Amino acid sequence: MRKMICFLMLLFFESSFLFSGEIYVTKIKKTPVENKNYSELATIVINNCIEIRDIKVIKNSGKVRLVFPTYVSKKDLEYSQVKLLTQQANSEVNRAIITAKPSNNQSETVIFGISKFALYKGDSALKVFAAVDFNDAVRVECKIMQSYRNPWVAWPAEKLKNGEWKEQIIISKKELCKKIEKTLLERYRNMIRTMEED
C-alpha cells in the first residue's frame, strides 16, 4: 500500500512538472543597433530548444518593450509570430533580455499542442496558417506550404534583399521538430482527404 501511495505521489509530481507551463531562457544574446527605432536585437533560446531571433528591444522613457518577429500580409497587416501566453513566460523573457542573463533554471522540458489550424483559401503555395503552443506558455506561428512536391512546414523567416531567407524561429531538437511537423502535416493531409470526400 505504501509503495502504491509513493508511486502515485511520484506520478502526480512528474505530471505537475511536465504540465506546469513554465519556460526558461537558457541562452540570451543582444546586439546593439543604430539608426533604427529600436536600440537592440535579441536572440533567446527557450528551454534549450526553441530559438527566437530578431526580437526588437525598444527603450522609451525608462521602459522596455519587446517586439517579436512579425509577418506582414499583402494588405500590410502585421501579425506577431510569437506570443507569450502566461505571466511567468512574459516575466521570464523580459527579465532575461533586460538583464542579458539566462535563467538559473536550465529545464529542457517541452510539450507542444496545435492551437490554430486555418485553411488559406487563396490561390497560393500557402495552404494553412497554424500555431504551435509550447508548454502552454509560448505560441509560435507557422505555415503549411505546398507546390508541386510534398507539403512542408514553414517556420517564421525574413526574406532578405538578396532573395534569401533568414530563419527567425528554430526548433533545435531535431526529434521534437520532426514530431511537430509530422503532426501538422498529418492533420493537413486528413483535412484535404475529408474535403475531397465531401
Side-chain angles (χ1 to χ4, degrees):
M1 183 66 178
R2 181 175 295 177
K3 289 183 178 181
M4 178 62 71
I5 293 173
C6 290
F7 172 77
L8 291 174
M9 289 177 67
L10 179 62
L11 183 63
F12 174 78
F13 173 77
E14 291 179 346
S15 298
S16 299
F17 177 75
L18 287 172
F19 293 93
S20 64
E22 292 191 339
I23 62 97
Y24 300 96
V25 177
T26 47
K27 292 181 183 178
I28 165 72
K29 178 182 178 182
K30 292 199 295 184
T31 304
V33 176
E34 295 181 357
N35 302 321
K36 298 285 185 179
N37 62 349
Y38 51 93
S39 59
E40 297 170 313
L41 275 178
T43 295
I44 62 173
V45 177
I46 292 175
N47 288 35
N48 208 30
C49 174
I50 307 154
E51 183 174 339
I52 306 173
R53 300 175 175 177
D54 295 344
I55 304 171
K56 296 175 182 176
V57 182
I58 301 173
K59 298 179 180 179
N60 188 11
S61 301
K63 295 182 179 180
V64 175
R65 183 167 67 93
L66 305 180
V67 178
F68 290 97
T70 58
Y71 165 73
V72 182
S73 71
K74 293 180 180 179
K75 298 181 179 180
D76 288 329
L77 298 175
E78 294 187 358
Y79 300 92
S80 179
Q81 298 299 281
V82 178
K83 293 180 181 177
L84 304 178
L85 306 177
T86 65
Q87 183 177 351
Q88 186 272 338
N90 188 69
S91 297
E92 182 61 20
V93 170
N94 275 271
R95 182 209 59 77
I97 291 178
I98 291 172
T99 64
K101 293 181 180 179
S103 310
N104 292 326
N105 191 317
Q106 296 290 302
S107 172
E108 297 186 7
T109 302
V110 175
I111 59 171
F112 75 91
I114 300 173
S115 56
K116 181 176 76 176
F117 203 85
L119 185 67
Y120 178 68
K121 298 180 180 179
D123 184 15
S124 169
L126 170 61
K127 300 302 178 184
V128 172
F129 286 106
V132 180
D133 289 1
F134 295 93
N135 287 12
D136 294 324
V138 178
R139 177 167 297 161
V140 175
E141 302 284 330
C142 60
K143 305 177 188 71
I144 294 180
M145 314 290 291
Q146 181 164 12
S147 53
Y148 297 106
R149 298 184 178 182
N150 293 329
W152 74 93
V153 177
W155 297 97
E158 178 189 9
K159 191 172 185 178
L160 303 177
K161 292 181 180 180
N162 61 7
E164 295 181 357
W165 290 89
K166 176 186 175 185
E167 296 175 306
Q168 293 177 307
I169 306 292
I170 299 173
I171 312 300
S172 58
K173 287 186 177 179
K174 293 183 179 179
E175 290 303 316
L176 176 62
C177 188
K178 287 180 180 178
K179 187 174 182 180
I180 295 170
E181 292 183 355
K182 181 181 178 181
T183 302
L184 288 164
L185 293 174
E186 284 180 350
R187 184 163 175 175
Y188 171 64
R189 292 188 179 100
N190 289 335
M191 175 187 286
I192 297 301
R193 193 178 299 115
T194 300
M195 292 171 62
E196 290 175 347
E197 290 174 353
D198 292 342

